[in-house]
Amino acid sequence: MASHDETYQLLCDQAKEAALIDSIQQLLEWDERTKMPSTGGAYRADQAAYLSGLTHQKQTDAKIGGWLDELAESSLAAKPDSQTAAVIRLLRRDYDKKVRLPQSLVEELTRTAVRGQQAWAEAREADDFAKFRPLLEKTVDLKRQEAAALGYETTPYDALLDQYEPGETAANVGRVLMGLRDALVPLVQAISDSSTRPDASVLAREYPVVAQETFGKQAAAEIGFDFDAGRLDVTHHPFCVTLGPRDVRLTTRYDPRSFNDGLFSILHEAGHGIYEQGLPDDQFGIPLAEFVSMAIHESQSRMWENQVGRSRSFWEYFFPLAQKAFPAALNGVELSTFYDAINEVQPSLIRVEADEVTYNLHILIRFELEKAMIEDDLQVADLPAAWNEKYEHYLGIVPPSDADGVLQDVHWSAGLFGYFPTYAMGNLYAAQFFAQAQKDLGDFDASFRQGKFGELREWLRTKIHQHGRRYSPAQLVERISGAPLSHEPLMEQLQEKFGKVYGL
Ligand code: ZN
């Protein structure tokens, strides 16, 4: 009979093999979203489905259950803080979730997601919610079945949320987001009432794409993305993906008439990439080298994009370089004009274009609506009216069309329920971590002003990246800041910064 050490090795090898197959699928998906001609789409879908089936087989093999049972009783699991205990605990969690879902439901969810996205794209194009409604009704029904199969204590929404944010609950998300809402709405109102208005027109001048790429790469490299172990390519909807140890891909898009689009996407994705590059390479394929959760991942991208990339000290270093890179657009422009412009706040209809202040209200609206749909308190037929009502209530604007309203995001059509809150929680984690980093290391302004970002990056490596999934999001934020997730650090930072920009 094999020793426990040998069993543990078998367990890790099995997980690494699943990760190997999955990494091939990621490469195909990266190619699909950056290089592939659209005519390759149908066969690519077959390739992806084949590989995801193989990965699922590897992850649900019955012998994994036997190994986990054996190891649970062994010395390897005895000390909860040890690396081996963490791996056993996390692989048990993953395995139990995967085997609870019947294969037929998994396949139906996948098929419906593909058809749902097609129906959504057509409905959005035609500005006709009715075209999407039957598929969305079916998706909500399937997600409720999925939640029932996964199991939950309080609300089926918790089962869905847990897939992106392990251990998180709707009650806690609600608590944090309501606190944020109560503090945020008066700030948005004060900004709207302010007579100070940044002039953002400088950001819509000519920004040649080649110069944007060079400048963006320089900025990503200086904050710490390692281009010897990564690349930057062009796509429609920017993302970051890891294809294997020391191979992290960033993507962005460029608009020759917009400074913001390309550069802030690059900083955002580089933030994700720096996290991925900070995970331990030698453990690739097991939970010690995997990211904690979607919200923790988003905290890393948002911190480099917002707390760092939209700070004055960051631009005291980078603005002269930007003026050299874009002389036609920026010569003669004052740093303060530029800084105010990149921090303009404007309640708007579209989530992905929203500023740092109003963004979280877009998420709150989606959280309330999707939770109500999953809990059967809101029927899909009533969704467009409910959407418009919430936009009027929280942001004071009513979408003129469903295309710019309820049909703007792909998520629900793809079956992503419980995903939206991770964006707002990412913003909150970013603020809480950044506040703690400043407590630990002192104010960063002096070093940012000199183009030095290594101190913050190393702090993130030590506190977050190197641990992989060893700690849950809730444990991580407690370990780092000594407190649970709160809206207060973000609100303090927003009030301080936008109070100055808007003279409040
Ligand atoms: Zn992101």
Side-chain angles (χ1 to χ4, degrees):
M1 192 177 156
S3 73
H4 295 319
D5 285 338
E6 283 164 348
T7 304
Y8 181 77
Q9 198 53 52
L10 289 170
L11 179 71
C12 289
D13 287 348
Q14 182 85 7
K16 286 179 182 173
E17 206 175 324
L20 179 74
I21 302 168
D22 183 60
S23 71
I24 299 166
Q25 194 185 333
Q26 299 298 335
L27 171 57
L28 292 178
E29 196 178 323
W30 172 83
D31 174 74
E32 184 184 340
R33 294 171 71 179
T34 53
K35 310 283 178 189
M36 189 190 76
S38 60
T39 46
Y43 198 68
R44 182 57 46 89
D46 290 345
Q47 292 171 319
Y50 179 75
L51 290 172
S52 66
L54 276 186
T55 308
H56 187 75
Q57 272 175 30
K58 287 281 167 213
Q59 289 169 332
T60 53
D61 194 320
K63 63 191 178 195
I64 298 174
W67 293 334
L68 287 166
D69 288 344
E70 180 200 322
L71 290 168
E73 306 298 322
S74 75
S75 60
L76 293 168
K79 290 195 194 107
D81 270 358
S82 70
Q83 290 205 354
T84 53
V87 169
I88 293 164
R89 184 176 67 244
L90 291 161
L91 289 177
R92 171 101 250 169
R93 185 187 154 84
D94 296 347
Y95 177 75
D96 286 350
K97 270 184 170 301
K98 293 248 189 281
V99 296
R100 259 180 229 153
L101 293 177
Q103 187 67 29
S104 59
L105 179 60
V106 173
E107 287 171 9
E108 189 62 11
L109 278 162
T110 308
R111 258 196 303 276
T112 307
V114 173
R115 287 176 51 218
Q117 287 175 77
Q118 286 162 357
W120 165 76
E122 285 166 25
R124 185 182 171 180
E125 181 71 33
D127 186 19
D128 183 359
F129 182 77
K131 282 190 194 306
F132 178 43
R133 182 180 149 185
L135 257 303
L136 185 56
E137 281 168 343
K138 174 148 200 209
T139 303
V140 171
D141 180 51
L142 288 170
K143 296 309 282 188
R144 290 169 59 88
Q145 290 180 40
E146 187 183 12
L150 288 167
Y152 55 87
E153 279 175 21
T154 316
T155 158
Y157 188 80
D158 284 350
L160 304 178
L161 179 61
D162 183 85
Q163 293 175 307
Y164 309 109
E165 213 47 38
E168 194 51 84
T169 63
N172 189 51
V173 172
R175 173 188 67 81
V176 174
L177 291 189
M178 294 312 143
L180 181 64
R181 176 196 63 187
D182 292 346
L184 205 48
V185 169
L187 177 64
V188 173
Q189 192 57 49
I191 289 171
S192 297
D193 294 344
S194 165
S195 56
T196 307
R197 295 253 73 92
D199 174 9
S201 65
V202 295
L203 303 174
R205 292 179 177 171
E206 288 291 336
Y207 291 93
V209 167
V210 175
Q212 283 195 48
E213 188 187 344
T214 307
F215 182 71
K217 275 187 171 166
Q218 184 189 352
E222 293 211 28
I223 64 171
F225 182 77
D226 178 3
F227 277 97
D228 290 335
R231 287 180 55 90
L232 173 66
D233 292 273
V234 175
T235 190
H236 293 294
H237 299 285
F239 63 97
C240 164
V241 65
T242 291
L243 303 182
R246 295 190 49 75
D247 186 356
V248 178
R249 307 298 175 95
L250 311 180
T251 60
T252 191
R253 61 181 170 204
Y254 302 106
D255 174 349
R257 301 285 305 189
S258 164
F259 179 81
N260 279 2
D261 233 28
L263 195 263
F264 288 104
S265 293
I266 291 173
L267 290 177
H268 180 99
E269 300 307 334
H272 283 303
I274 289 167
Y275 182 15
E276 291 282 324
Q277 289 182 333
L279 295 167
D281 297 335
D282 54 345
Q283 312 270 22
F284 188 81
I286 62 170
L288 297 174
E290 289 168 349
F291 64 89
V292 182
S293 71
M294 298 311 294
I296 298 297
H297 224 309
E298 194 68 2
S299 76
Q300 303 302 290
S301 56
R302 286 298 193 180
M303 191 185 299
W304 290 106
E305 178 191 356
N306 288 336
Q307 273 82 5
V308 180
R310 291 183 206 269
S311 70
R312 186 183 288 274
S313 51
F314 179 92
W315 287 103
E316 282 173 26
Y317 175 72
F318 274 108
F319 190 63
L321 301 172
Q323 287 182 308
K324 279 202 191 90
F326 311 104
L330 294 178
N331 271 352
V333 174
E334 296 283 339
L335 170 62
S336 60
T337 306
F338 176 84
Y339 171 75
D340 289 351
I342 60 167
N343 286 300
E344 188 192 23
V345 174
Q346 183 76 54
S348 64
L349 293 170
I350 308 294
R351 176 184 63 86
V352 296
E353 295 168 7
D355 56 76
E356 214 181 328
V357 176
T358 59
Y359 184 90
N360 294 307
L361 294 174
H362 292 262
I363 298 303
L364 179 64
I365 290 169
R366 286 154 178 78
F367 166 66
E368 291 182 349
L369 292 172
E370 67 179 14
K371 181 166 169 289
M373 281 191 280
I374 294 298
E375 292 177 348
D376 209 16
D377 287 337
L378 172 66
Q379 300 311 304
V380 168
D382 301 325
L383 177 63
W387 178 283
N388 291 352
E389 200 180 299
K390 285 202 185 286
Y391 263 78
E392 172 147 44
H393 183 64
Y394 287 134
L395 286 156
I397 44 178
V398 179
S401 70
D402 286 342
D404 285 336
V406 68
L407 290 172
Q408 68 181 269
D409 292 309
V410 70
H411 301 61
W412 290 335
S413 75
L416 298 175
F417 282 77
Y419 190 103
F420 278 124
T422 69
Y423 291 127
M425 295 171 77
N427 289 328
L428 297 172
Y429 279 122
Q432 197 155 334
F433 293 150
F434 192 70
Q436 188 61 43
Q438 284 181 309
K439 269 186 208 146
D440 290 357
L441 301 171
D443 194 275
F444 290 116
D445 284 338
S447 40
F448 288 179
R449 210 169 274 139
Q450 295 168 47
K452 291 183 182 155
F453 304 98
E455 240 189 345
L456 174 61
R457 191 178 61 251
E458 289 313 309
W459 185 91
L460 294 169
R461 288 254 191 278
T462 310
K463 299 280 179 178
I464 299 172
H465 306 174
Q466 66 164 352
H467 301 302
R469 278 170 70 196
R470 193 160 167 190
Y471 305 108
S472 72
Q475 289 171 326
L476 201 59
V477 75
E478 279 281 357
R479 278 176 60 90
I480 292 172
S481 69
L485 183 64
S486 157
H487 69 277
E488 282 167 13
L490 179 66
M491 277 316 301
E492 276 167 29
Q493 290 166 19
L494 294 178
Q495 255 144 2
E496 155 88 14
K497 176 177 177 179
F498 292 94
K500 285 187 189 146
V501 172
Y502 281 89
L504 305 177

